[in-house]
Amino acid sequence: MFSAELRDLTATTWRAAVEHRFVGEIGRGEVDPAVLRTYLVQDHQFVDAFVALMGAAVATAPNASARLVHARQLGLVAGPENDFFDRALDALDVPFADRTDPELLEPTRGFLDLMDAARGGGDHAVCLAVLLVAEWLYLDWAERAGAPEESVQREWIELHRGPAFTDWVTFLRLEFDRTAAGLDDAGRARVQEAFTRAVELELAFFDAAYDA
Amino acid sequence: MFSAELRDLTATTWRAAVEHRFVGEIGRGEVDPAVLRTYLVQDHQFVDAFVALMGAAVATAPNASARLVHARQLGLVAGPENDFFDRALDALDVPFADRTDPELLEPTRGFLDLMDAARGGGDHAVCLAVLLVAEWLYLDWAERAGAPEESVQREWIELHRGPAFTDWVTFLRLEFDRTAAGLDDAGRARVQEAFTRAVELELAFFDAAYDA
């Protein structure tokens, strides 16, 4: 399976991300408030690009049943789950300017570019690669994290694990592997590049919250 | 407002559609079962293309708040409203082959082409034009229809009227007018062509259910 191959290929970076200091700390509810603020302010900046990318996945899905799964997940992210950031940024007293137009850190800019390129390219396999890394790597770290008392940190973990989220990641893996099986070498190379870049950005994103 | 201009421009065809014999009959719950079967079998064939087009609207929306409205409506269409056709086609004893691969009537083929072209073109204004006609014209006829006892016909009407659906159509009109205001002549011509074609197809679609 191409997804397993790519995860092996990126194993060192992947592990450094899912075993990041941030994961241990959030699992105990002990992320330094300044770090958590930076992390969530930056993450908030690509929610819109992520929603747009999910829209592109709906538009480019190869069949009606896969399209419906993408569309339902999109409805969830845009609906019930959409107020997390408002509540979290309120709880952390984040000023208005940092909600609308913060200075973007390097990995944030990198993610925006990667997601916009995937969306704009109209290549379903590349869209899937970026979505897959974002969701699968988050499931992997969230499953390793504890269950803290503090509500912002707990909610951020719980948004990325549990049966429904696991099903969504399984769907993405199956779709990714099915799509990749139909690609030629150039197509697989494009997908591999997007996958690898996304894993590197996930690690850099955690690091950047501490370096800022 | 460009939406009002285009509706005036297409007024004769628009009125023939929303005052179609089908509208009177469905409002009394009296559409001939063979006609209703043809109509729903054909309509069912572009649900997937419609969902894909809504995905493209999410991907191409000009800002986060518009994108969320599109995404939530998509989640609704792909989620809670998605089993209408299964239930309706069951109730009408439609054979399996007519659910998966029926012979497409001319207006159905025309709609599929129009929606696929709008989606593939990545032009948000054209995506909006096709969505707007589909939803606005349906709201217009559904508001003229009665409230029949028979459940398939009643549900089809109720899916296209009421406060939530009216809000969605209002959003589409506002977004369409805002987007059109920023277009040059060539852009407006493209949008007008898509709008006009969609209105013609809506009328032809009602007619075709009786001619088949």
Side-chain angles (χ1 to χ4, degrees), chain A residues 36-48 77 80-92 94 99 152 155-156 159-160 205:
Chain A
L36 189 59
R37 207 175 290 126
T38 301
Y39 172 89
L40 288 176
V41 162
Q42 295 295 313
D43 202 288
H44 182 228
Q45 287 305 302
F46 46 70
V47 171
D48 182 49
V77 169
E81 293 184 358
N82 191 253
D83 64 347
F84 168 77
F85 281 99
D86 283 343
R87 287 181 289 105
L89 300 179
D90 279 352
L92 293 165
V94 171
R99 303 187 189 202
V152 170
E155 187 173 353
W156 187 243
L159 278 172
H160 298 103
F205 191 81

PDB file of all heavy atoms in Angstrom, chain A residues 36-48 77 80-92 94 99 152 155-156 159-160 205:
ATOM      1  N   LEU A  36       0.700  27.643  23.464  1.00  0.00           N
ATOM      2  CA  LEU A  36      -0.618  27.214  22.990  1.00  0.00           C
ATOM      3  C   LEU A  36      -1.273  28.317  22.152  1.00  0.00           C
ATOM      4  O   LEU A  36      -1.903  28.046  21.118  1.00  0.00           O
ATOM      5  CB  LEU A  36      -1.512  26.862  24.187  1.00  0.00           C
ATOM      6  CG  LEU A  36      -2.851  26.180  23.852  1.00  0.00           C
ATOM      7  CD1 LEU A  36      -2.640  24.864  23.103  1.00  0.00           C
ATOM      8  CD2 LEU A  36      -3.675  25.936  25.117  1.00  0.00           C
ATOM      9  N   ARG A  37      -1.083  29.568  22.600  1.00  0.00           N
ATOM     10  CA  ARG A  37      -1.645  30.700  21.871  1.00  0.00           C
ATOM     11  C   ARG A  37      -1.024  30.787  20.472  1.00  0.00           C
ATOM     12  O   ARG A  37      -1.735  30.879  19.471  1.00  0.00           O
ATOM     13  CB  ARG A  37      -1.378  31.981  22.670  1.00  0.00           C
ATOM     14  CG  ARG A  37      -2.381  33.059  22.436  1.00  0.00           C
ATOM     15  CD  ARG A  37      -2.124  34.266  23.344  1.00  0.00           C
ATOM     16  NE  ARG A  37      -2.420  33.991  24.740  1.00  0.00           N
ATOM     17  CZ  ARG A  37      -1.584  34.166  25.767  1.00  0.00           C
ATOM     18  NH1 ARG A  37      -0.358  34.643  25.563  1.00  0.00           N
ATOM     19  NH2 ARG A  37      -1.963  33.881  26.992  1.00  0.00           N
ATOM     20  N   THR A  38       0.296  30.711  20.404  1.00  0.00           N
ATOM     21  CA  THR A  38       0.969  30.753  19.096  1.00  0.00           C
ATOM     22  C   THR A  38       0.492  29.614  18.204  1.00  0.00           C
ATOM     23  O   THR A  38       0.147  29.808  17.032  1.00  0.00           O
ATOM     24  CB  THR A  38       2.500  30.631  19.274  1.00  0.00           C
ATOM     25  OG1 THR A  38       2.945  31.698  20.101  1.00  0.00           O
ATOM     26  CG2 THR A  38       3.208  30.690  17.932  1.00  0.00           C
ATOM     27  N   TYR A  39       0.449  28.425  18.778  1.00  0.00           N
ATOM     28  CA  TYR A  39       0.058  27.234  18.019  1.00  0.00           C
ATOM     29  C   TYR A  39      -1.355  27.400  17.438  1.00  0.00           C
ATOM     30  O   TYR A  39      -1.584  27.186  16.244  1.00  0.00           O
ATOM     31  CB  TYR A  39       0.140  26.009  18.941  1.00  0.00           C
ATOM     32  CG  TYR A  39      -0.419  24.752  18.336  1.00  0.00           C
ATOM     33  CD1 TYR A  39       0.380  23.894  17.579  1.00  0.00           C
ATOM     34  CD2 TYR A  39      -1.758  24.418  18.509  1.00  0.00           C
ATOM     35  CE1 TYR A  39      -0.147  22.735  17.024  1.00  0.00           C
ATOM     36  CE2 TYR A  39      -2.294  23.273  17.956  1.00  0.00           C
ATOM     37  CZ  TYR A  39      -1.490  22.435  17.221  1.00  0.00           C
ATOM     38  OH  TYR A  39      -2.008  21.303  16.658  1.00  0.00           O
ATOM     39  N   LEU A  40      -2.304  27.815  18.279  1.00  0.00           N
ATOM     40  CA  LEU A  40      -3.694  27.886  17.810  1.00  0.00           C
ATOM     41  C   LEU A  40      -3.927  29.091  16.887  1.00  0.00           C
ATOM     42  O   LEU A  40      -4.716  28.989  15.938  1.00  0.00           O
ATOM     43  CB  LEU A  40      -4.659  27.917  19.002  1.00  0.00           C
ATOM     44  CG  LEU A  40      -4.781  26.578  19.755  1.00  0.00           C
ATOM     45  CD1 LEU A  40      -5.683  26.739  20.975  1.00  0.00           C
ATOM     46  CD2 LEU A  40      -5.330  25.460  18.852  1.00  0.00           C
ATOM     47  N   VAL A  41      -3.246  30.204  17.170  1.00  0.00           N
ATOM     48  CA  VAL A  41      -3.353  31.362  16.277  1.00  0.00           C
ATOM     49  C   VAL A  41      -2.865  30.988  14.877  1.00  0.00           C
ATOM     50  O   VAL A  41      -3.488  31.327  13.863  1.00  0.00           O
ATOM     51  CB  VAL A  41      -2.558  32.573  16.839  1.00  0.00           C
ATOM     52  CG1 VAL A  41      -2.288  33.611  15.749  1.00  0.00           C
ATOM     53  CG2 VAL A  41      -3.314  33.201  18.003  1.00  0.00           C
ATOM     54  N   GLN A  42      -1.762  30.255  14.806  1.00  0.00           N
ATOM     55  CA  GLN A  42      -1.217  29.862  13.505  1.00  0.00           C
ATOM     56  C   GLN A  42      -2.108  28.808  12.839  1.00  0.00           C
ATOM     57  O   GLN A  42      -2.393  28.882  11.647  1.00  0.00           O
ATOM     58  CB  GLN A  42       0.224  29.334  13.668  1.00  0.00           C
ATOM     59  CG  GLN A  42       1.213  30.384  14.137  1.00  0.00           C
ATOM     60  CD  GLN A  42       1.414  31.506  13.123  1.00  0.00           C
ATOM     61  OE1 GLN A  42       1.605  31.250  11.931  1.00  0.00           O
ATOM     62  NE2 GLN A  42       1.364  32.751  13.566  1.00  0.00           N
ATOM     63  N   ASP A  43      -2.572  27.847  13.614  1.00  0.00           N
ATOM     64  CA  ASP A  43      -3.428  26.791  13.052  1.00  0.00           C
ATOM     65  C   ASP A  43      -4.719  27.399  12.499  1.00  0.00           C
ATOM     66  O   ASP A  43      -5.202  27.020  11.426  1.00  0.00           O
ATOM     67  CB  ASP A  43      -3.724  25.740  14.127  1.00  0.00           C
ATOM     68  CG  ASP A  43      -4.124  24.407  13.523  1.00  0.00           C
ATOM     69  OD1 ASP A  43      -5.238  24.324  12.991  1.00  0.00           O
ATOM     70  OD2 ASP A  43      -3.326  23.453  13.560  1.00  0.00           O
ATOM     71  N   HIS A  44      -5.277  28.330  13.238  1.00  0.00           N
ATOM     72  CA  HIS A  44      -6.500  29.013  12.824  1.00  0.00           C
ATOM     73  C   HIS A  44      -6.364  29.633  11.433  1.00  0.00           C
ATOM     74  O   HIS A  44      -7.327  29.725  10.674  1.00  0.00           O
ATOM     75  CB  HIS A  44      -6.810  30.106  13.867  1.00  0.00           C
ATOM     76  CG  HIS A  44      -8.065  30.863  13.621  1.00  0.00           C
ATOM     77  ND1 HIS A  44      -8.123  32.235  13.673  1.00  0.00           N
ATOM     78  CD2 HIS A  44      -9.312  30.457  13.301  1.00  0.00           C
ATOM     79  CE1 HIS A  44      -9.344  32.628  13.418  1.00  0.00           C
ATOM     80  NE2 HIS A  44     -10.091  31.582  13.190  1.00  0.00           N
ATOM     81  N   GLN A  45      -5.129  30.037  11.094  1.00  0.00           N
ATOM     82  CA  GLN A  45      -4.900  30.696   9.805  1.00  0.00           C
ATOM     83  C   GLN A  45      -5.034  29.769   8.616  1.00  0.00           C
ATOM     84  O   GLN A  45      -5.155  30.211   7.489  1.00  0.00           O
ATOM     85  CB  GLN A  45      -3.518  31.376   9.771  1.00  0.00           C
ATOM     86  CG  GLN A  45      -3.464  32.623  10.622  1.00  0.00           C
ATOM     87  CD  GLN A  45      -4.556  33.614  10.249  1.00  0.00           C
ATOM     88  OE1 GLN A  45      -4.662  34.061   9.117  1.00  0.00           O
ATOM     89  NE2 GLN A  45      -5.404  33.943  11.210  1.00  0.00           N
ATOM     90  N   PHE A  46      -4.974  28.453   8.839  1.00  0.00           N
ATOM     91  CA  PHE A  46      -5.245  27.657   7.638  1.00  0.00           C
ATOM     92  C   PHE A  46      -6.544  26.849   7.662  1.00  0.00           C
ATOM     93  O   PHE A  46      -6.754  25.999   6.814  1.00  0.00           O
ATOM     94  CB  PHE A  46      -4.053  26.814   7.168  1.00  0.00           C
ATOM     95  CG  PHE A  46      -3.319  26.049   8.189  1.00  0.00           C
ATOM     96  CD1 PHE A  46      -3.884  24.961   8.803  1.00  0.00           C
ATOM     97  CD2 PHE A  46      -2.015  26.390   8.489  1.00  0.00           C
ATOM     98  CE1 PHE A  46      -3.174  24.229   9.713  1.00  0.00           C
ATOM     99  CE2 PHE A  46      -1.295  25.655   9.405  1.00  0.00           C
ATOM    100  CZ  PHE A  46      -1.870  24.575  10.021  1.00  0.00           C
ATOM    101  N   VAL A  47      -7.417  27.170   8.578  1.00  0.00           N
ATOM    102  CA  VAL A  47      -8.723  26.512   8.551  1.00  0.00           C
ATOM    103  C   VAL A  47      -9.429  26.771   7.214  1.00  0.00           C
ATOM    104  O   VAL A  47      -9.958  25.854   6.583  1.00  0.00           O
ATOM    105  CB  VAL A  47      -9.613  26.999   9.715  1.00  0.00           C
ATOM    106  CG1 VAL A  47     -11.032  26.482   9.553  1.00  0.00           C
ATOM    107  CG2 VAL A  47      -9.030  26.547  11.050  1.00  0.00           C
ATOM    108  N   ASP A  48      -9.392  28.017   6.769  1.00  0.00           N
ATOM    109  CA  ASP A  48     -10.096  28.342   5.519  1.00  0.00           C
ATOM    110  C   ASP A  48      -9.487  27.604   4.317  1.00  0.00           C
ATOM    111  O   ASP A  48     -10.222  27.064   3.485  1.00  0.00           O
ATOM    112  CB  ASP A  48     -10.060  29.856   5.287  1.00  0.00           C
ATOM    113  CG  ASP A  48     -10.825  30.246   4.037  1.00  0.00           C
ATOM    114  OD1 ASP A  48     -11.981  29.781   3.890  1.00  0.00           O
ATOM    115  OD2 ASP A  48     -10.278  30.993   3.213  1.00  0.00           O
ATOM    116  N   VAL A  77     -16.907  19.717   9.546  1.00  0.00           N
ATOM    117  CA  VAL A  77     -15.841  20.677   9.840  1.00  0.00           C
ATOM    118  C   VAL A  77     -16.372  22.110   9.741  1.00  0.00           C
ATOM    119  O   VAL A  77     -16.032  22.969  10.557  1.00  0.00           O
ATOM    120  CB  VAL A  77     -14.648  20.465   8.868  1.00  0.00           C
ATOM    121  CG1 VAL A  77     -13.652  21.605   8.957  1.00  0.00           C
ATOM    122  CG2 VAL A  77     -13.957  19.145   9.179  1.00  0.00           C
ATOM    123  N   PRO A  80     -20.687  21.848  12.993  1.00  0.00           N
ATOM    124  CA  PRO A  80     -20.573  21.669  14.446  1.00  0.00           C
ATOM    125  C   PRO A  80     -19.167  21.933  14.998  1.00  0.00           C
ATOM    126  O   PRO A  80     -19.027  22.396  16.123  1.00  0.00           O
ATOM    127  CB  PRO A  80     -20.943  20.199  14.647  1.00  0.00           C
ATOM    128  CG  PRO A  80     -21.726  19.809  13.448  1.00  0.00           C
ATOM    129  CD  PRO A  80     -21.294  20.690  12.330  1.00  0.00           C
ATOM    130  N   GLU A  81     -18.121  21.627  14.218  1.00  0.00           N
ATOM    131  CA  GLU A  81     -16.763  21.752  14.755  1.00  0.00           C
ATOM    132  C   GLU A  81     -16.178  23.148  14.545  1.00  0.00           C
ATOM    133  O   GLU A  81     -15.066  23.431  14.975  1.00  0.00           O
ATOM    134  CB  GLU A  81     -15.841  20.713  14.101  1.00  0.00           C
ATOM    135  CG  GLU A  81     -16.215  19.300  14.481  1.00  0.00           C
ATOM    136  CD  GLU A  81     -15.252  18.256  13.932  1.00  0.00           C
ATOM    137  OE1 GLU A  81     -14.300  18.622  13.222  1.00  0.00           O
ATOM    138  OE2 GLU A  81     -15.476  17.079  14.218  1.00  0.00           O
ATOM    139  N   ASN A  82     -16.948  23.996  13.854  1.00  0.00           N
ATOM    140  CA  ASN A  82     -16.356  25.250  13.401  1.00  0.00           C
ATOM    141  C   ASN A  82     -16.182  26.310  14.482  1.00  0.00           C
ATOM    142  O   ASN A  82     -15.466  27.290  14.291  1.00  0.00           O
ATOM    143  CB  ASN A  82     -17.177  25.816  12.241  1.00  0.00           C
ATOM    144  CG  ASN A  82     -16.460  26.945  11.570  1.00  0.00           C
ATOM    145  OD1 ASN A  82     -16.836  28.101  11.713  1.00  0.00           O
ATOM    146  ND2 ASN A  82     -15.370  26.631  10.882  1.00  0.00           N
ATOM    147  N   ASP A  83     -16.834  26.124  15.623  1.00  0.00           N
ATOM    148  CA  ASP A  83     -16.703  27.187  16.632  1.00  0.00           C
ATOM    149  C   ASP A  83     -15.575  26.916  17.629  1.00  0.00           C
ATOM    150  O   ASP A  83     -15.370  27.702  18.554  1.00  0.00           O
ATOM    151  CB  ASP A  83     -18.032  27.427  17.353  1.00  0.00           C
ATOM    152  CG  ASP A  83     -18.463  26.202  18.135  1.00  0.00           C
ATOM    153  OD1 ASP A  83     -17.878  25.125  17.923  1.00  0.00           O
ATOM    154  OD2 ASP A  83     -19.386  26.324  18.958  1.00  0.00           O
ATOM    155  N   PHE A  84     -14.833  25.821  17.442  1.00  0.00           N
ATOM    156  CA  PHE A  84     -13.728  25.540  18.370  1.00  0.00           C
ATOM    157  C   PHE A  84     -12.774  26.730  18.491  1.00  0.00           C
ATOM    158  O   PHE A  84     -12.425  27.149  19.598  1.00  0.00           O
ATOM    159  CB  PHE A  84     -12.935  24.291  17.956  1.00  0.00           C
ATOM    160  CG  PHE A  84     -11.650  24.152  18.720  1.00  0.00           C
ATOM    161  CD1 PHE A  84     -11.641  23.694  20.026  1.00  0.00           C
ATOM    162  CD2 PHE A  84     -10.425  24.542  18.158  1.00  0.00           C
ATOM    163  CE1 PHE A  84     -10.460  23.608  20.761  1.00  0.00           C
ATOM    164  CE2 PHE A  84      -9.241  24.463  18.887  1.00  0.00           C
ATOM    165  CZ  PHE A  84      -9.260  24.001  20.191  1.00  0.00           C
ATOM    166  N   PHE A  85     -12.358  27.258  17.354  1.00  0.00           N
ATOM    167  CA  PHE A  85     -11.356  28.319  17.405  1.00  0.00           C
ATOM    168  C   PHE A  85     -11.890  29.579  18.089  1.00  0.00           C
ATOM    169  O   PHE A  85     -11.179  30.211  18.854  1.00  0.00           O
ATOM    170  CB  PHE A  85     -10.797  28.632  16.013  1.00  0.00           C
ATOM    171  CG  PHE A  85      -9.766  27.641  15.579  1.00  0.00           C
ATOM    172  CD1 PHE A  85     -10.091  26.592  14.735  1.00  0.00           C
ATOM    173  CD2 PHE A  85      -8.456  27.721  16.044  1.00  0.00           C
ATOM    174  CE1 PHE A  85      -9.133  25.656  14.357  1.00  0.00           C
ATOM    175  CE2 PHE A  85      -7.490  26.794  15.678  1.00  0.00           C
ATOM    176  CZ  PHE A  85      -7.829  25.760  14.825  1.00  0.00           C
ATOM    177  N   ASP A  86     -13.143  29.922  17.803  1.00  0.00           N
ATOM    178  CA  ASP A  86     -13.713  31.096  18.477  1.00  0.00           C
ATOM    179  C   ASP A  86     -13.632  30.927  19.989  1.00  0.00           C
ATOM    180  O   ASP A  86     -13.206  31.836  20.713  1.00  0.00           O
ATOM    181  CB  ASP A  86     -15.183  31.290  18.076  1.00  0.00           C
ATOM    182  CG  ASP A  86     -15.292  31.905  16.686  1.00  0.00           C
ATOM    183  OD1 ASP A  86     -14.281  32.457  16.211  1.00  0.00           O
ATOM    184  OD2 ASP A  86     -16.379  31.811  16.088  1.00  0.00           O
ATOM    185  N   ARG A  87     -14.043  29.771  20.460  1.00  0.00           N
ATOM    186  CA  ARG A  87     -14.053  29.541  21.907  1.00  0.00           C
ATOM    187  C   ARG A  87     -12.644  29.471  22.476  1.00  0.00           C
ATOM    188  O   ARG A  87     -12.350  30.049  23.526  1.00  0.00           O
ATOM    189  CB  ARG A  87     -14.854  28.282  22.236  1.00  0.00           C
ATOM    190  CG  ARG A  87     -16.370  28.495  22.064  1.00  0.00           C
ATOM    191  CD  ARG A  87     -17.195  27.268  22.413  1.00  0.00           C
ATOM    192  NE  ARG A  87     -17.037  26.206  21.416  1.00  0.00           N
ATOM    193  CZ  ARG A  87     -16.333  25.104  21.565  1.00  0.00           C
ATOM    194  NH1 ARG A  87     -15.699  24.867  22.701  1.00  0.00           N
ATOM    195  NH2 ARG A  87     -16.260  24.234  20.595  1.00  0.00           N
ATOM    196  N   ALA A  88     -11.755  28.772  21.740  1.00  0.00           N
ATOM    197  CA  ALA A  88     -10.389  28.605  22.244  1.00  0.00           C
ATOM    198  C   ALA A  88      -9.657  29.945  22.267  1.00  0.00           C
ATOM    199  O   ALA A  88      -8.965  30.272  23.240  1.00  0.00           O
ATOM    200  CB  ALA A  88      -9.643  27.588  21.376  1.00  0.00           C
ATOM    201  N   LEU A  89      -9.807  30.735  21.209  1.00  0.00           N
ATOM    202  CA  LEU A  89      -9.086  32.006  21.159  1.00  0.00           C
ATOM    203  C   LEU A  89      -9.663  32.995  22.175  1.00  0.00           C
ATOM    204  O   LEU A  89      -8.937  33.811  22.736  1.00  0.00           O
ATOM    205  CB  LEU A  89      -9.073  32.567  19.724  1.00  0.00           C
ATOM    206  CG  LEU A  89      -8.399  31.636  18.676  1.00  0.00           C
ATOM    207  CD1 LEU A  89      -8.438  32.255  17.276  1.00  0.00           C
ATOM    208  CD2 LEU A  89      -6.966  31.260  19.038  1.00  0.00           C
ATOM    209  N   ASP A  90     -10.962  32.872  22.446  1.00  0.00           N
ATOM    210  CA  ASP A  90     -11.552  33.649  23.555  1.00  0.00           C
ATOM    211  C   ASP A  90     -10.914  33.248  24.884  1.00  0.00           C
ATOM    212  O   ASP A  90     -10.495  34.099  25.661  1.00  0.00           O
ATOM    213  CB  ASP A  90     -13.067  33.368  23.670  1.00  0.00           C
ATOM    214  CG  ASP A  90     -13.883  34.169  22.673  1.00  0.00           C
ATOM    215  OD1 ASP A  90     -13.300  35.047  21.996  1.00  0.00           O
ATOM    216  OD2 ASP A  90     -15.094  33.908  22.558  1.00  0.00           O
ATOM    217  N   ALA A  91     -10.883  31.949  25.130  1.00  0.00           N
ATOM    218  CA  ALA A  91     -10.375  31.442  26.415  1.00  0.00           C
ATOM    219  C   ALA A  91      -8.927  31.872  26.627  1.00  0.00           C
ATOM    220  O   ALA A  91      -8.494  32.071  27.760  1.00  0.00           O
ATOM    221  CB  ALA A  91     -10.496  29.917  26.469  1.00  0.00           C
ATOM    222  N   LEU A  92      -8.179  32.006  25.533  1.00  0.00           N
ATOM    223  CA  LEU A  92      -6.762  32.365  25.631  1.00  0.00           C
ATOM    224  C   LEU A  92      -6.539  33.872  25.488  1.00  0.00           C
ATOM    225  O   LEU A  92      -5.389  34.317  25.373  1.00  0.00           O
ATOM    226  CB  LEU A  92      -5.952  31.605  24.569  1.00  0.00           C
ATOM    227  CG  LEU A  92      -5.870  30.082  24.777  1.00  0.00           C
ATOM    228  CD1 LEU A  92      -5.380  29.395  23.507  1.00  0.00           C
ATOM    229  CD2 LEU A  92      -4.938  29.752  25.945  1.00  0.00           C
ATOM    230  N   VAL A  94      -6.912  35.943  23.071  1.00  0.00           N
ATOM    231  CA  VAL A  94      -6.156  36.328  21.874  1.00  0.00           C
ATOM    232  C   VAL A  94      -6.753  37.612  21.295  1.00  0.00           C
ATOM    233  O   VAL A  94      -7.973  37.675  21.073  1.00  0.00           O
ATOM    234  CB  VAL A  94      -6.194  35.194  20.826  1.00  0.00           C
ATOM    235  CG1 VAL A  94      -5.619  35.642  19.498  1.00  0.00           C
ATOM    236  CG2 VAL A  94      -5.450  33.972  21.356  1.00  0.00           C
ATOM    237  N   ARG A  99      -6.375  37.219  15.458  1.00  0.00           N
ATOM    238  CA  ARG A  99      -7.359  36.263  14.924  1.00  0.00           C
ATOM    239  C   ARG A  99      -7.542  36.470  13.429  1.00  0.00           C
ATOM    240  O   ARG A  99      -7.829  35.545  12.691  1.00  0.00           O
ATOM    241  CB  ARG A  99      -8.708  36.451  15.618  1.00  0.00           C
ATOM    242  CG  ARG A  99      -8.593  36.299  17.121  1.00  0.00           C
ATOM    243  CD  ARG A  99      -9.952  36.320  17.767  1.00  0.00           C
ATOM    244  NE  ARG A  99      -9.796  36.398  19.215  1.00  0.00           N
ATOM    245  CZ  ARG A  99     -10.715  36.020  20.081  1.00  0.00           C
ATOM    246  NH1 ARG A  99     -11.874  35.539  19.652  1.00  0.00           N
ATOM    247  NH2 ARG A  99     -10.506  36.116  21.375  1.00  0.00           N
ATOM    248  N   VAL A 152      -9.644  23.539  26.719  1.00  0.00           N
ATOM    249  CA  VAL A 152      -9.177  23.829  25.353  1.00  0.00           C
ATOM    250  C   VAL A 152      -8.259  22.710  24.862  1.00  0.00           C
ATOM    251  O   VAL A 152      -8.428  22.187  23.751  1.00  0.00           O
ATOM    252  CB  VAL A 152      -8.437  25.192  25.296  1.00  0.00           C
ATOM    253  CG1 VAL A 152      -7.742  25.363  23.954  1.00  0.00           C
ATOM    254  CG2 VAL A 152      -9.400  26.348  25.554  1.00  0.00           C
ATOM    255  N   GLU A 155     -10.245  19.459  24.326  1.00  0.00           N
ATOM    256  CA  GLU A 155     -11.098  19.456  23.134  1.00  0.00           C
ATOM    257  C   GLU A 155     -10.268  19.309  21.860  1.00  0.00           C
ATOM    258  O   GLU A 155     -10.671  18.631  20.914  1.00  0.00           O
ATOM    259  CB  GLU A 155     -11.944  20.732  23.084  1.00  0.00           C
ATOM    260  CG  GLU A 155     -12.966  20.692  21.971  1.00  0.00           C
ATOM    261  CD  GLU A 155     -13.938  21.863  21.998  1.00  0.00           C
ATOM    262  OE1 GLU A 155     -13.914  22.647  22.963  1.00  0.00           O
ATOM    263  OE2 GLU A 155     -14.722  21.982  21.030  1.00  0.00           O
ATOM    264  N   TRP A 156      -9.093  19.955  21.829  1.00  0.00           N
ATOM    265  CA  TRP A 156      -8.244  19.860  20.645  1.00  0.00           C
ATOM    266  C   TRP A 156      -7.792  18.415  20.417  1.00  0.00           C
ATOM    267  O   TRP A 156      -7.723  17.943  19.282  1.00  0.00           O
ATOM    268  CB  TRP A 156      -7.027  20.790  20.778  1.00  0.00           C
ATOM    269  CG  TRP A 156      -6.200  20.874  19.539  1.00  0.00           C
ATOM    270  CD1 TRP A 156      -4.899  20.472  19.408  1.00  0.00           C
ATOM    271  CD2 TRP A 156      -6.609  21.370  18.257  1.00  0.00           C
ATOM    272  NE1 TRP A 156      -4.467  20.697  18.119  1.00  0.00           N
ATOM    273  CE2 TRP A 156      -5.496  21.248  17.389  1.00  0.00           C
ATOM    274  CE3 TRP A 156      -7.803  21.902  17.754  1.00  0.00           C
ATOM    275  CZ2 TRP A 156      -5.530  21.643  16.055  1.00  0.00           C
ATOM    276  CZ3 TRP A 156      -7.853  22.288  16.412  1.00  0.00           C
ATOM    277  CH2 TRP A 156      -6.724  22.165  15.587  1.00  0.00           C
ATOM    278  N   LEU A 159     -10.941  16.256  19.261  1.00  0.00           N
ATOM    279  CA  LEU A 159     -11.350  16.511  17.865  1.00  0.00           C
ATOM    280  C   LEU A 159     -10.588  15.615  16.892  1.00  0.00           C
ATOM    281  O   LEU A 159     -11.002  15.443  15.745  1.00  0.00           O
ATOM    282  CB  LEU A 159     -11.089  17.977  17.487  1.00  0.00           C
ATOM    283  CG  LEU A 159     -12.138  18.995  17.904  1.00  0.00           C
ATOM    284  CD1 LEU A 159     -11.634  20.412  17.631  1.00  0.00           C
ATOM    285  CD2 LEU A 159     -13.460  18.767  17.143  1.00  0.00           C
ATOM    286  N   HIS A 160      -9.463  15.058  17.354  1.00  0.00           N
ATOM    287  CA  HIS A 160      -8.602  14.298  16.445  1.00  0.00           C
ATOM    288  C   HIS A 160      -8.458  12.831  16.819  1.00  0.00           C
ATOM    289  O   HIS A 160      -7.483  12.184  16.456  1.00  0.00           O
ATOM    290  CB  HIS A 160      -7.227  14.978  16.353  1.00  0.00           C
ATOM    291  CG  HIS A 160      -7.321  16.358  15.793  1.00  0.00           C
ATOM    292  ND1 HIS A 160      -7.243  17.498  16.573  1.00  0.00           N
ATOM    293  CD2 HIS A 160      -7.551  16.794  14.526  1.00  0.00           C
ATOM    294  CE1 HIS A 160      -7.392  18.565  15.806  1.00  0.00           C
ATOM    295  NE2 HIS A 160      -7.587  18.176  14.563  1.00  0.00           N
ATOM    296  N   PHE A 205       5.775  22.754  12.201  1.00  0.00           N
ATOM    297  CA  PHE A 205       4.699  23.540  12.807  1.00  0.00           C
ATOM    298  C   PHE A 205       4.719  23.427  14.338  1.00  0.00           C
ATOM    299  O   PHE A 205       4.559  24.422  15.045  1.00  0.00           O
ATOM    300  CB  PHE A 205       3.355  23.075  12.237  1.00  0.00           C
ATOM    301  CG  PHE A 205       2.219  23.972  12.591  1.00  0.00           C
ATOM    302  CD1 PHE A 205       1.998  25.142  11.873  1.00  0.00           C
ATOM    303  CD2 PHE A 205       1.373  23.681  13.652  1.00  0.00           C
ATOM    304  CE1 PHE A 205       0.954  25.995  12.213  1.00  0.00           C
ATOM    305  CE2 PHE A 205       0.330  24.521  13.995  1.00  0.00           C
ATOM    306  CZ  PHE A 205       0.123  25.684  13.273  1.00  0.00           C
TER     307      PHE A 205
END
